[in-house]
Amino acid sequence: EAGVAQSPRYKIIEKRQSVAFWCNPISGHATLYWYQQILGQGPKLLIQFQNNGVVDDSQLPKDRFSAERLKGVDSTLKIQPAKLEDSAVYLCASSDGTGGEAFFGQGTRLTVV
Amino acid sequence: AQSVTQLGSHVSVSEGALVLLRCNYSSSVPPYLFWYVQYPNQGLQLLLKYTSAATLVKGINGFEAEFKKSETSFHLTKPSAHMSDAAEYFCAVEAGTALIFGKGTTLSVSS
């Protein structure tokens, strides 16, 4: 069974530039999550989708972050414009939506300079 | 609001020694609790989870954790550390259908 795929693995951008991350969840998983993991901290939920609808985006900085999940499958997370404090690993995870385990991708490490 | 606190950001043990990683939770309802492991440049992998079926939970790689309601704890243990156990470990509590993570504990294993 293929796992959660994320790309790119690494990205370096200058502040005020824009960036986008892509996630392909495990086939059939209805629930998709984006987490932000700042160095030295645990992952923090940014947004949760159930199929293509948003369940929770209360911690998403909506003035600069946006996310979408088209057709309830792949998802993209965008930052525009980026700030230095956005430097982090962005983790995508998926689950079957019935209380089962959340499976994580390898993450995208973003460095904003 | 639910939360978890991991005591000790860094734990060092010798190979073959007992591993003990501490986690305390705060929850107004019976919690679902998890331990995840993260190897360098990798995503998180589930070690074990507590869903109220049994207070002692056995996970992968020889790890286990005991849910103690009286102490609001869910500490992770392994009787004998191996070099391959060196990693970052996260305790998490389920909030809705998402997870709230602790800050993590780095486990170092020396030979």
Side-chain angles (χ1 to χ4, degrees):
Chain A
E1 177 184 84
V4 177
Q6 290 188 247
S7 67
R9 288 294 313 277
Y10 305 93
K11 190 74 175 179
I12 301 175
I13 63 171
E14 296 182 348
K15 59 184 179 183
R16 292 187 290 274
Q17 286 188 322
S18 63
V19 65
F21 313 128
W22 173 81
C23 173
N24 179 238
I26 292 173
S27 177
H29 277 192
T31 306
L32 185 147
Y33 313 83
W34 283 103
Y35 285 86
Q36 179 193 56
Q37 185 179 15
I38 293 173
L39 186 65
Q41 299 182 21
K44 182 186 80 171
L45 181 69
L46 290 176
I47 189 166
Q48 177 185 349
F49 292 95
Q50 180 77 12
N51 296 310
N52 61 348
V54 175
V55 174
D56 183 357
D57 63 356
S58 58
Q59 298 194 80
L60 186 74
K62 298 180 186 63
D63 58 333
R64 297 184 301 106
F65 286 65
S66 64
E68 61 181 4
R69 189 181 185 196
L70 298 176
K71 300 181 181 179
V73 183
D74 293 4
S75 178
T76 56
L77 176 69
K78 298 179 181 178
I79 308 175
Q80 181 179 13
K83 293 185 175 181
L84 295 177
E85 59 260 37
D86 298 331
S87 293
V89 175
Y90 291 85
L91 295 164
C92 179
S94 70
S95 70
D96 62 12
T98 62
E101 175 186 349
F103 293 84
F104 284 79
Q106 291 185 302
T108 295
R109 182 178 298 276
L110 173 67
T111 303
V112 183
V113 298
Chain B
Q2 288 142 312
S3 66
V4 290
T5 301
Q6 292 185 242
L7 305 175
S9 59
H10 199 152
V11 171
S12 297
V13 300
S14 300
E15 194 172 22
L18 171 72
V19 175
L20 171 61
L21 305 182
R22 301 176 187 273
C23 174
N24 287 89
Y25 69 88
S26 173
S27 177
S28 58
V29 298
Y32 282 9
L33 295 162
F34 303 77
W35 275 100
Y36 279 83
V37 62
Q38 186 176 36
Y39 298 101
N41 298 315
Q42 298 293 317
L44 280 73
Q45 180 184 8
L46 181 66
L47 278 177
L48 50 83
K49 64 179 178 181
Y50 167 75
T51 57
S52 75
T55 57
L56 183 63
V57 183
K58 295 188 182 297
I60 62 172
N61 301 339
F63 284 94
E64 63 181 35
E66 186 173 7
F67 175 75
K68 292 186 176 181
K69 184 177 180 180
S70 61
E71 299 177 7
T72 62
S73 69
F74 190 57
H75 301 333
L76 182 70
T77 60
K78 182 174 181 178
S80 177
H82 192 272
M83 297 293 287
S84 60
D85 295 326
E88 186 91 14
Y89 291 80
F90 293 95
C91 181
V93 62
E94 188 171 79
T97 55
L99 296 173
I100 297 175
F101 288 88
K103 291 188 175 182
T105 298
T106 300
L107 176 65
S108 299
V109 183
S110 58
S111 57

